[in-house]
Amino acid sequence: MIDQIIKIDKIIETHDISEELSYITDIRYDIIIINYDKVRIRHGDFKMIFDIRCKTQAPLLVILEGCEIRDKLHVLNMKADDYIEKPINIDELEEKMLQLLHKLS
């Protein structure tokens, strides 16, 4: 069902979000998914979520790997709308995306 409702316009891969933030204001996104591809995340890494939230009201879904409850809470405190943990269950991802998109309408 995801392929029926989602069109991926752009995938940005970066280690420094500051160089890519201009994309956030130049294009209207229905949803933004941020993938933290590290096993151990430092809290400073989550500032990117807040920086993106300052640029757009598009729903932010964060993918986390190997995190603790304090990391999850920090992601939400940085104004992410939701998170999902790896390994990703496609049904759970689809449901979270649909719920976030539903909030927009």
Side-chain angles (χ1 to χ4, degrees):
M1 179 139 127
I2 287 182
D3 59 348
Q4 295 173 347
I5 62 167
I6 295 173
K7 176 182 169 233
I8 298 175
D9 288 323
K10 186 158 197 83
I11 296 176
I12 301 170
E13 185 172 345
T14 184
H15 298 286
D16 181 10
I17 193 62
S18 61
E19 67 189 45
E20 305 297 344
L21 278 176
S22 63
Y23 287 112
I24 303 294
T25 55
D26 293 343
I27 301 170
R28 185 194 172 278
Y29 292 96
D30 292 325
I31 190 167
I32 297 172
I33 301 173
I34 303 169
N35 179 21
Y36 282 97
D37 201 20
K38 306 184 225 179
V39 174
R40 187 69 202 134
I41 301 167
R42 297 180 316 260
H43 280 177
D45 296 338
F46 296 134
K47 184 178 180 307
M48 173 177 64
I49 298 167
F50 185 76
D51 292 342
I52 291 172
R53 174 55 68 218
C54 290
K55 301 275 186 188
T56 181
Q57 290 303 308
L60 298 176
L61 178 63
V62 177
I63 300 172
L64 296 170
E65 178 178 16
C67 62
E68 300 173 7
I69 188 67
R70 65 185 171 92
D71 297 323
K72 297 172 193 175
L73 295 174
H74 199 66
V75 163
L76 296 173
N77 285 332
M78 289 287 109
K79 306 300 182 201
D81 293 291
D82 205 349
Y83 65 86
I84 189 168
E85 294 182 72
K86 292 179 184 176
I88 296 172
N89 175 292
I90 195 67
D91 294 327
E92 181 184 10
L93 176 62
E94 179 181 355
E95 186 60 34
K96 286 183 179 274
M97 290 175 70
L98 288 171
Q99 290 297 319
L100 290 173
L101 292 169
H102 179 70
K103 287 181 183 180
L104 287 176
S105 55

